[in-house]
């Protein structure tokens, strides 16, 4: 069977799947940004009340796989740059779930930028206690603790904090914001309506089909469908690019959202967030994020093209990569703004 025939058959089978696919990557960072952006609009007192709804957990900071300060000292004011791991997980049946998508949110006050780093979930990495496996399996094996440690050890980072958002927040927030404008190409158009039908059946919604390619105004279910498209020619690379495109559209829409809408957004979102960040830390980070204009949101993906390749091991697909080159590239991007 050809690749195109296989892709077509997969698309036809979408509506037959009875289980929910709950994870979406870009909603994670969107959720965290909403929390931070709300600070200016609604004030500390209300914000503190909302944080009672957060699922707050503690991490063992001594077991996060962070290299010594000597490894980072060459990057100057690296301690002023804040990195936060952002996870979207499939928590079906109450389990921990795999992190279907992983991003690093970097608040960089030195260069006045908010950076988004997407990590390829199929990256072939060493997971402590489990050997070589896919990056997204680390969360299922050991929750955020092991997932962060795996990221730090395999991508050369110093992440100490995280936020995880579950499946149900994305359509809610997008619909509260009045939808998004996105460009949908001809190849994506072949698949998106199958996902829309599947989600309508699972969620009891009635989102419309997308009839034409080009710029479209889409609602929450349509955005979720767009994010789940897997079978375009670019595979997971294009899927993470779609995540980043929606993220940019969300960030722009949030920047233009009246402050009166923030309480409604937050009340819908906060119950779906798990994090180790304290209320005080989030409020402090919020003041920094609010100082970064929407034009200063920059994005990248690692491993980068040219330093990785798909490989099949024991019948399973992995993305192998040059770890030393990738660590240098990640650090240069995050700490040196290259």
């Amino acid at each position: 069977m050809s690749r195109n025939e296989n892709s077509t058959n997969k698309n036809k089978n979408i509506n037959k799947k009875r289980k929910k696919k709950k994870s979406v990557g870009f909603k994670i960072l969107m959720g965290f940004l909403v929390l931070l952006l709300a600070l200016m609009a609604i004030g500390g007192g209300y914000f503190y009340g909302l944080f009672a709804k957060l699922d707050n957990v503690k991490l063992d900071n001594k077991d996060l796989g962070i290299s010594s300060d000597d490894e980072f000292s060459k990057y100057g004011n690296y301690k002023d740059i804040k990195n936060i791991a952002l996870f979207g997980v499939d928590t079906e049946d109450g389990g921990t779930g795999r992190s279907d998508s992983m991003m690093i949110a970097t608040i960089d006050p030195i260069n006045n930028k908010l950076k988004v780093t997407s990590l390829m979930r199929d990256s072939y990495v060493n997971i402590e206690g489990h050997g070589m496996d896919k990056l997204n399996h680390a969360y299922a094996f050991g929750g955020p603790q092991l997932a962060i440690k795996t990221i730090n050890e395999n991508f050369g980072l110093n992440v100490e904090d995280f936020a995880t958002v579950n499946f149900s927040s994305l359509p809610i927030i997008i619909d509260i914001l009045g939808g998004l404008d996105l460009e949908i190409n001809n190849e994506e158009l072949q698949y998106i309506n199958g996902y829309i039908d599947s989600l309508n059946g699972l969620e009891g919604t009635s989102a419309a089909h997308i009839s034409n390619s080009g710029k479209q105004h889409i609602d929450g279910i349509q955005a979720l469908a767009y994010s789940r498209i897997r079978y375009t020619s670019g595979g997971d690379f294009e899927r993470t690019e779609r995540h980043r495109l929606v993220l940019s559209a969300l960030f722009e829409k949030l920047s233009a959202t009246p402050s009166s809408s923030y309480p409604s957004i937050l009340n819908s979102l906060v119950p779906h967030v798990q994090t180790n960040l304290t209320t005080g830390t989030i409020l402090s980070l919020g003041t920094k994020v609010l100082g970064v204009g929407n034009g200063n949101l920059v994005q990248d993906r690692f491993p980068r093209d040219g330093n990785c390749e798909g490989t099949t091991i024991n019948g399973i697909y992995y993305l192998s990569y040059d770890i030393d080159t990738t660590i240098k590239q990640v650090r240069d991007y995050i700490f040196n703004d290259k």
Side-chain angles (χ1 to χ4, degrees), residues 89-90 95-99 130 135-144 146-147:
V89 297
D90 182 350
T96 301
R98 297 175 182 176
S99 50
H130 301 274
L135 177 62
N136 71 327
H137 289 189
Y139 201 103
F141 292 147
L146 183 58

Side-chain angles (χ1 to χ4, degrees), residues 14-290:
I14 290 171
N15 292 326
K16 298 178 181 179
K17 294 181 179 179
R18 304 300 299 173
K19 291 184 178 181
K20 289 186 178 182
K21 289 290 292 179
K22 298 178 179 178
S23 51
V24 182
F26 57 83
K27 68 174 184 281
I28 307 159
L29 182 56
M30 180 278 299
F32 188 70
L33 289 177
V34 171
L35 293 175
L36 298 180
L37 288 167
L39 172 63
M40 180 176 290
I42 60 180
Y46 182 82
F47 209 57
Y48 268 92
L50 282 172
F51 272 88
K53 301 178 181 180
L54 275 176
D55 181 6
N56 199 267
V57 300
K58 290 186 177 181
L59 298 177
D60 180 359
N61 287 347
K62 296 180 180 179
D63 189 33
L64 291 176
I66 299 173
S67 301
S68 66
D69 283 349
D70 291 342
E71 284 283 315
F72 296 100
S73 59
K74 69 180 78 171
Y75 299 104
N77 298 325
Y78 74 94
K79 290 185 177 180
D80 294 327
I81 295 174
K82 184 70 170 179
N83 291 312
I84 302 162
L86 305 163
F87 301 108
V89 297
D90 182 350
T91 55
E92 194 165 18
D93 299 325
T96 301
R98 297 175 182 176
S99 50
D100 183 65
S101 184
M102 292 141 286
M103 295 180 182
I104 306 297
T106 300
I107 302 171
D108 180 359
I110 298 170
N111 297 289
N112 194 35
K113 289 183 179 179
L114 180 63
K115 299 172 183 176
V116 180
T117 303
S118 295
L119 301 177
M120 300 298 289
R121 61 183 186 162
D122 289 332
S123 297
Y124 194 46
V125 300
N126 184 50
I127 303 174
E128 184 181 70
H130 301 274
M132 299 299 293
D133 207 333
K134 293 187 178 184
L135 177 62
N136 71 327
H137 289 189
Y139 201 103
F141 292 147
Q145 180 81 43
L146 183 58
I148 293 172
K149 184 172 186 176
T150 303
I151 289 171
N152 285 334
E153 291 181 339
N154 290 273
F155 291 90
L157 288 173
N158 60 344
V159 178
E160 295 181 309
D161 301 295
F162 82 99
T164 298
V165 179
N166 73 25
F167 76 102
S168 58
S169 61
L170 179 67
I172 295 170
I173 303 306
I174 288 179
D175 288 341
I176 289 174
L177 293 173
L180 300 174
D181 293 323
L182 284 178
E183 192 82 20
I184 296 176
N185 63 39
N186 289 326
E187 192 175 15
E188 292 162 345
L189 185 62
Q190 296 177 46
Y191 299 102
I192 191 170
N193 290 321
Y195 286 94
I196 290 172
D197 288 342
S198 179
L199 286 167
N200 279 336
L202 291 168
E203 304 293 342
T205 52
S206 56
H209 278 188
I210 306 296
S211 301
N212 303 298
S213 58
K215 194 169 186 178
Q216 305 291 332
H217 187 75
I218 62 175
D219 64 20
I221 291 295
Q222 292 167 330
L224 185 56
Y226 175 79
S227 75
R228 287 187 175 169
I229 296 173
R230 294 177 181 269
Y231 306 117
T232 55
S233 56
D236 204 36
F237 291 92
E238 288 188 354
R239 187 167 181 253
T240 59
E241 176 64 19
R242 281 188 283 273
H243 293 174
R244 292 192 295 272
L245 288 172
V246 174
L247 171 62
S248 294
L250 278 168
F251 193 76
E252 184 176 347
K253 193 70 177 281
L254 284 166
S255 298
T257 297
S259 60
S260 58
S261 299
Y262 277 46
S264 175
I265 295 172
L266 286 166
N267 274 313
S268 298
L269 178 66
V270 169
H272 304 295
V273 177
Q274 182 185 74
T275 183
N276 69 315
L277 291 165
T278 65
T279 304
T281 299
I282 294 179
L283 290 172
S284 175
L285 292 174
T287 61
K288 296 179 181 179
V289 171
L290 289 167

